[in-house]
Amino acid sequence: MLDAVGTLARLGLAAVWLVSGAVKLADPGQTLIAVQAYDVLPGGLVNVVAVALPLVELVLGLFLLAGLLTRWVAGAALVLLLVLIAGIAQSWARGLSIDCGCFGGGGQVAAGQTAYPQEILRDSGFALLAVWLLARPRTWLSVDGWLARGRGNSVEPEPDYSGIAEGN
């Protein structure tokens, strides 16, 4: 049962990163506007982050989809989610009126059109998926599981038939 929960967490988080990265990659100009709107990075870093963020999200999504290096990728995903939550929280605290741009769009919005609590709550939920995978990275249909079996490690514990062999 726990492996099934982990598989759903892994695939759900993979979908989040793949959709988020693909939408940002499809509209790099809007991604740049979204990154600029946070008003925390120096000009030179804004371009780097706007280009790198969608690529990082896609890599995280692909690794999670494959179930490769799940614990490490979950750790990286958690760090990125915490940075994104902090970015949203600081925008809210500073009174900026922006859309986070988490799934495309982003940038300045009219006063009262922000959704900071919902965005933080949503990203916190995604962070919980990453925490689950950090604590329990074993999932079904994963490269990690396939590699473990190839090294002679069983994903499922072997049943103990010793009592049956002894006539008990």
Side-chain angles (χ1 to χ4, degrees), residues 37-103:
Y38 283 90
D39 194 29
V40 292
L41 297 172
L45 280 181
V46 168
N47 290 327
V48 172
V49 169
V51 169
L53 183 59
L55 299 175
V56 168
E57 291 176 340
L58 287 172
V59 168
L60 290 172
L62 290 171
F63 272 67
L64 286 168
L65 183 63
L68 179 60
L69 303 173
T70 303
R71 180 171 276 149
W72 288 97
V73 175
L78 180 59
V79 168
L80 182 54
L81 284 162
L82 293 175
V83 168
L84 295 173
I85 291 168
I88 295 166
Q90 70 80 32
S91 297
W92 188 11
R94 291 174 50 207
L96 300 178
S97 292
I98 66 170
D99 176 294
C100 73
C102 297
F103 292 94

Side-chain angles (χ1 to χ4, degrees), residues 76-155:
L78 180 59
V79 168
L80 182 54
L81 284 162
L82 293 175
V83 168
L84 295 173
I85 291 168
I88 295 166
Q90 70 80 32
S91 297
W92 188 11
R94 291 174 50 207
L96 300 178
S97 292
I98 66 170
D99 176 294
C100 73
C102 297
F103 292 94
Q108 300 294 326
V109 295
Q113 295 298 311
T114 59
Y116 297 127
Q118 297 91 328
E119 292 166 350
I120 290 170
L121 188 60
R122 178 202 58 218
D123 287 355
S124 296
F126 297 151
L128 287 175
L129 296 178
V131 168
W132 177 277
L133 292 170
L134 268 172
R136 188 165 170 70
R138 188 171 71 188
T139 62
W140 294 335
L141 305 171
S142 68
V143 173
D144 289 341
W146 178 74
L147 291 173
R149 282 189 298 280
R151 290 190 305 260
N153 299 332
S154 176
V155 173

